[in-house]
Amino acid sequence: MAESERRRGTAAHEHVRVAVIGSGFGGIGAAVRLRREGVTDFVVLERAGAVGGTWRDNSYPGCACDVPSHLYSFSFAPNPDWPRAFSGQEHIREYLERVADTFRLRPHIRLDTEVLRASWDTERLLWELETSRGALTADVVVSATGPLSDPRTPDIPGLTSFPGKVFHSARWDHGYDLRGKRVAMVGTGASAIQIVPEIQRDVRRLTLFQRTPPWVLPRADRAITGVERWLHRQLPFTTYARRGLLWGIRELQVQAFTKRPNELGLVESLARRNMARAIKDPALRAKLTPTYRIGCKRILLSNSYYPALAQPHVDVVASGLAEVRGSTAVAADGTEAEVDAIIFGTGFHVTDMPIADRVVGDDGRTLMETWKDGMKSLRGASAAGFPNFLTVIGPNTGLGNSSMILMIESQLNYLADYLRQLDVLGGRAALVARPSAVNAWTRRVQDRMKRTVWNTGGCTSWYLDDHGVNTTIWPGTTTEFRAATRRVDLNEYEVLRPPARRTAPGSGRKAEVTA
Ligand SMILES: Cc1cc2nc3c(=O)[nH]c(=O)nc-3n(C[C@H](O)[C@H](O)[C@H](O)COP(=O)(O)OP(=O)(O)OC[C@H]3O[C@@H](n4cnc5c(N)ncnc54)[C@H](O)[C@@H]3O)c2cc1C
């Protein structure tokens, strides 16, 4: 195909320089960064009918961030008007909509466009994307489909014949009235502990199925005063100072999580006191006290969770939901509860992200097949065998105690430099991570992981994959990750060029490697 034709695409077949998948913080951030780098030939493909990702899909009662808003927002789009220290879902969603408008991203965003398949063309050195709204090709694909975007509902025997209502926290059914109902809440993670205090006010009976209790610390939430907001608007540096302080505190905490988990004992006593203030019944306190080191699972923040559990119409079953018999929810320990509705707060497909099954690399294997022994990518971004394919929030880029937006922005720095490197190379070129570089990076990450609380704290968490390997969390500070993703090191990549001439049938289709 001639270069001009390739750029223009055909009527049925559009070509772009960059295709971004997803419009949460990752995809919207990538779009802003592309525009700032002078790249205008890009699209953002979003399967839903609006932008917002996590903050569009999670509309359950009480949904809010658990990192202060001034840190849980883009550094390039400070918001002086955050209403609370920890703002609610609607405000965060509005913020993302505003960022899309302010940075004039709308013409690039294709809503209701689900990416069904992305396959690397080894001869033309481009990605062929099949979407629910037709096909297109792209030089570079940025996958920002989110680590927590596809809800996971456990396969519970008998669930399909349950006569009542069933839904997942990330797909809240606002048409269903919980007032006066007997409700089973399954799970005790970040979403469940926000939901429980809200719905217990309305329901007749609430039964919480708890496989493992979380550690819960008080939440220093409050309304941000009019004076503070006025100050942030008049003197923008005060917003930056506030953000800087919030960031610095969390950077200082990282050592305890990554190198000295024993120091976290002090934090455990704070959490125990938080529980004791609300839970007077020693038997209930025993059920709610974790047996693993604090921090091993995500530390949760709430002032209302324990008071809600102390209510007489709330039961805590210290066992997971194992079976549903008619309208009876049965726990693994045999406890039974008659219920009208079952709400799953059981998390997401994290280490088996669905997009991986749809992306086909240079050897015809999907990312899911390539990652069957565990997810691994160079600097959380590039998987071996997947040229010009970058993930935002890829393997080992999650955080246990700070804002994911910091990690997303680091990955966007890497994306920007990646595109610059391709420009410098000139002509048709692609970069593919060397397997040796991917392995070296993974070894480095996993070596550091050994001492961390996530690996040594004595818990099973969603940070670990089916093999018990932590492929989710970054075992360092956000500053270290920022430094590691500032530049693309070309020594870690092979440069691909289109084959000089067509190879004979059966002799392989791989592009020439020129690095
Ligand atoms: C309830 C909840 C609270 C959270 N609170 C915090 C917090 O306080 N602090 C924090 O740091 N992190 C928090 N997180 C983590 C949060 O997921 C990240 O901070 C961040 O929002 C992720 O952004 P993202 O753009 O990577 O993914 P998402 O926001 O999940 O966006 C991914 C987008 O990709 C789209 N998509 C997926 N597959 C396809 C496809 N095949 N084709 C087209 N589009 C597709 C989805 O529809 C979605 O819009 C929270 C997560 C949840 C669920």
Side-chain angles (χ1 to χ4, degrees):
M1 197 192 292
E3 185 68 9
S4 59
E5 190 189 331
R6 193 187 60 73
R7 286 254 153 246
R8 212 176 44 248
T10 63
H13 203 138
E14 181 190 15
H15 181 83
V16 289
R17 173 112 199 268
V18 184
V20 178
I21 314 175
S23 70
F25 268 100
I28 292 288
V32 173
R33 193 57 199 260
L34 289 171
R35 284 202 67 124
R36 291 194 151 184
E37 290 295 312
V39 179
T40 51
D41 182 15
F42 71 90
V43 288
V44 177
L45 308 170
E46 169 55 59
R47 67 184 173 189
V51 302
T54 293
W55 303 103
R56 177 201 60 231
D57 292 341
N58 290 267
S59 60
Y60 58 76
C63 183
C65 54
D66 56 13
V67 168
S69 296
H70 280 275
L71 189 59
Y72 191 68
S73 41
F74 290 122
S75 64
F76 53 78
N79 178 16
D81 290 316
W82 285 120
R84 299 196 67 82
F86 298 87
S87 298
Q89 169 257 339
E90 275 182 27
H91 291 281
I92 307 174
R93 183 180 178 177
E94 275 167 29
Y95 168 81
L96 278 172
E97 290 277 358
R98 215 164 44 245
V99 171
D101 288 329
T102 308
F103 292 88
R104 298 201 294 275
L105 306 180
R106 300 284 179 195
H108 300 277
I109 299 172
R110 309 266 171 92
L111 300 175
D112 297 312
T113 306
E114 177 166 2
V115 173
L116 305 172
R117 199 148 186 93
S119 316
W120 177 247
D121 183 323
T122 51
E123 285 191 2
R124 292 189 297 160
L125 297 191
L126 45 77
W127 284 96
E128 290 178 343
L129 293 142
E130 219 180 282
T131 80
S132 53
R133 294 203 161 198
L136 74 156
T137 53
D139 293 338
V140 174
V141 168
V142 177
S143 176
T145 56
L148 310 178
S149 73
D150 290 281
R152 179 191 284 278
T153 303
D155 207 3
I156 305 283
L159 184 63
T160 47
S161 32
F162 175 63
K165 188 79 189 168
V166 178
F167 54 90
H168 189 279
S169 58
R171 301 289 181 269
W172 197 267
D173 187 338
H174 291 278
Y176 183 74
D177 190 355
L178 286 168
R179 278 176 299 181
K181 302 285 186 342
R182 298 162 303 172
V183 177
M185 178 80 225
V186 184
T188 51
S191 302
I193 77 142
Q194 293 183 338
I195 293 168
V196 164
E198 295 296 316
I199 64 169
Q200 62 85 18
R201 294 193 203 110
D202 292 332
V203 302
R204 172 144 61 104
R205 182 131 225 114
L206 179 62
T207 309
L208 178 66
F209 288 85
Q210 168 195 274
R211 227 169 30 177
T212 322
W215 283 109
V216 183
L217 286 173
R219 182 181 177 85
D221 192 21
R222 65 175 177 84
I224 295 180
T225 64
V227 174
E228 285 171 280
R229 282 189 259 164
W230 177 84
L231 197 69
H232 291 331
R233 273 196 300 274
Q234 300 305 313
L235 302 170
F237 76 88
T238 58
T239 316
Y240 291 110
R242 186 174 193 147
R243 181 184 174 91
L245 186 66
L246 292 166
W247 166 78
I249 293 168
R250 280 159 186 76
E251 284 297 86
L252 291 175
Q253 294 167 350
V254 170
Q255 297 286 322
F257 287 88
T258 56
K259 294 191 180 145
R260 294 188 290 276
N262 285 341
E263 286 179 4
L264 292 165
L266 204 68
V267 189
E268 275 176 19
S269 40
L270 288 178
R272 274 205 185 87
R273 227 174 301 152
N274 184 39
M275 187 195 305
R277 261 197 300 271
I279 308 285
K280 301 299 174 201
D281 171 8
L284 182 54
R285 259 206 319 267
K287 274 189 200 174
L288 296 173
T289 305
T291 52
Y292 57 86
R293 180 53 94 204
I294 196 168
C296 183
K297 282 168 171 287
R298 194 171 177 89
I299 300 175
L300 307 182
L301 307 176
S302 178
N303 302 329
S304 49
Y305 180 61
Y306 289 135
L309 297 186
Q311 296 299 311
H313 68 300
V314 180
D315 298 315
V316 178
V317 176
S319 178
L321 178 66
E323 193 188 342
V324 177
R325 274 187 233 128
S327 56
T328 309
V330 187
D333 68 0
T335 310
E336 295 185 0
E338 282 293 301
V339 293
D340 304 304
I342 303 176
I343 304 172
F344 286 95
T346 41
F348 300 87
H349 289 273
V350 182
T351 53
D352 56 344
M353 43 170 110
I355 191 71
D357 210 17
R358 301 180 175 193
V359 179
V360 183
D362 62 9
D363 62 358
R365 284 190 308 158
T366 63
L367 194 52
M368 189 79 99
E369 287 160 346
T370 305
W371 280 350
K372 70 179 188 323
D373 297 323
M375 304 193 292
K376 49 182 181 173
S377 284
L378 176 60
R379 296 173 198 273
S382 308
F386 294 79
N388 284 5
F389 180 86
L390 297 170
T391 43
V392 175
I393 315 197
N396 291 111
T397 58
L399 293 177
N401 77 321
S402 191
S403 168
M404 280 309 300
I405 314 308
L406 298 164
M407 300 301 273
I408 289 173
E409 289 194 27
S410 292
Q411 298 216 277
L412 301 182
N413 288 343
Y414 196 72
L415 162 68
D417 198 50
Y418 194 100
L419 295 174
R420 276 183 232 124
Q421 299 286 354
L422 284 176
D423 281 345
V424 170
L425 288 167
R428 281 215 71 61
L431 295 173
V432 63
R434 292 178 187 276
S436 56
V438 175
N439 290 335
W441 173 260
T442 307
R443 263 196 312 276
R444 189 174 141 193
V445 168
Q446 291 304 332
D447 274 354
R448 289 191 64 170
M449 197 70 78
K450 284 183 193 145
R451 289 163 66 187
T452 67
V453 70
W454 306 296
N455 276 34
T456 62
C459 73
T460 318
S461 72
W462 57 263
Y463 300 149
L464 310 180
D465 68 12
D466 288 347
H467 312 281
V469 180
N470 188 331
T471 54
T472 310
I473 292 281
W474 166 246
T477 61
T478 63
T479 310
E480 287 169 301
F481 191 71
R482 183 71 41 119
T485 47
R486 204 175 297 284
R487 297 261 176 274
V488 168
D489 178 357
L490 276 189
N491 294 319
E492 296 182 330
Y493 285 89
E494 288 173 5
V495 178
L496 304 180
R497 296 282 186 188
R501 54 180 152 36
R502 278 193 167 274
T503 50
S507 62
R509 296 177 62 230
K510 266 211 151 160
E512 282 178 359
V513 173
T514 58

